[in-house]
Amino acid sequence: MPGMGSSTGSMTDWADAVQNVYSEQAKAAPAGRGTTNAVVAWMGYEAPPVPPASTAVFGSDYAKAGGEKLAASIKGLDATRAGTMPAVNVLGHSYGTTTASYALTTEGVHVDSFTTIASAGIPDSIHEADEIHADAVYAGQAEVVKPIIEHWSGDEWAAVGRDFSSDHHQDPTAPEFGATSFGADGAPGLKPVRDHGVHTWYGGGYLDEDTQSLQNVAYATTGQPERLTN
């Protein structure tokens, strides 16, 4: 689930990122399960523009409207696959986590897991992870760094989205929220996240190959929380 500035006209990074998720899920799948996973880059809503063109990302109008559309998509999948429903895992990035949160607190919507990365803030109306209609809620966040000054050394924008928002201040990695958090700052043999994006030319995005973040996303979305790294 993409965040601000995303559109169907600029989804090359997301297409590459979801291919990385698909491949990593296949590697992470428990022995004997097989590789029956599918990954969809869902761009079914109008995302807010990137500031300074607009400050809408600090509010929830786009998230609420998008949440309704995502909820309808999930309900549609449930209706068409009744009796043969696959495991459904929602992965949100940045403002996409805000949007998905509205969808996953809609009556009649339920998924197996919800994973947030680089969250721009969970709505203040959602007080804890248990209020989200998911069997499990996971959250990953790279080291917060100063915008522009510390570019390419961590995540410089997620905290800005939370701190300056009007109604979505919640950090899903905060212990009091109750999600299961995981690491994104690197681990033995795995690279750290050094950017707010999901895919970068230098391999520092949340869903880039060989990052701790991507591996943990794969574990979270294949139902293996015991393998998550801190």
Side-chain angles (χ1 to χ4, degrees):
M1 179 93 190
M4 69 174 182
S6 302
S7 72
T8 54
S10 58
M11 286 195 69
T12 303
D13 284 345
W14 265 96
D16 290 339
V18 297
Q19 179 61 54
N20 291 343
V21 173
Y22 175 86
S23 300
E24 195 69 24
Q25 284 179 334
K27 290 194 297 183
R33 180 180 293 184
T35 54
T36 58
N37 57 313
V39 182
V40 176
W42 190 86
M43 193 62 252
Y45 84 114
E46 183 179 359
V50 176
S54 168
T55 59
V57 71
F58 298 116
S60 289
D61 288 347
Y62 282 81
K64 290 176 181 177
E68 291 180 4
K69 294 180 178 179
L70 178 60
S73 294
I74 295 171
K75 289 181 179 179
L77 176 63
D78 188 41
T80 57
R81 293 294 299 273
T84 59
M85 188 68 172
V88 178
N89 306 282
V90 174
L91 169 65
H93 170 258
S94 192
Y95 194 79
T97 69
T98 314
T99 303
S101 294
Y102 281 111
L104 298 179
T105 50
T106 301
E107 184 177 355
V109 172
H110 186 273
V111 296
D112 291 86
S113 74
F114 175 38
T115 302
T116 74
I117 47 176
S119 179
I122 303 299
D124 296 344
S125 58
I126 302 173
H127 303 102
E128 57 185 3
D130 285 346
E131 296 178 24
I132 294 173
H133 303 167
D135 291 339
V137 179
Y138 304 100
Q141 169 72 61
E143 181 181 2
V144 174
V145 298
K146 297 177 182 177
I148 303 174
I149 299 174
E150 298 179 295
H151 190 45
W152 295 349
S153 60
D155 190 327
E156 55 186 324
W157 298 117
V160 172
R162 296 191 297 266
D163 294 345
F164 289 91
S165 74
S166 60
D167 56 6
H168 51 87
H169 300 93
Q170 300 253 35
D171 179 357
T173 65
E176 57 269 23
F177 186 70
T180 300
S181 61
F182 57 79
D185 292 323
L190 295 170
K191 297 185 295 186
V193 167
R194 296 187 290 126
D195 193 277
H196 180 64
V198 291
H199 180 57
T200 68
W201 62 268
Y202 59 90
Y206 278 86
L207 299 178
D208 274 327
E209 292 179 321
D210 301 321
T211 57
Q212 182 189 21
S213 174
L214 177 65
Q215 185 182 80
N216 279 329
V217 164
Y219 291 150
T221 55
T222 55
Q224 302 179 86
E226 72 281 357
R227 299 182 69 182
L228 293 173
T229 53
N230 295 325

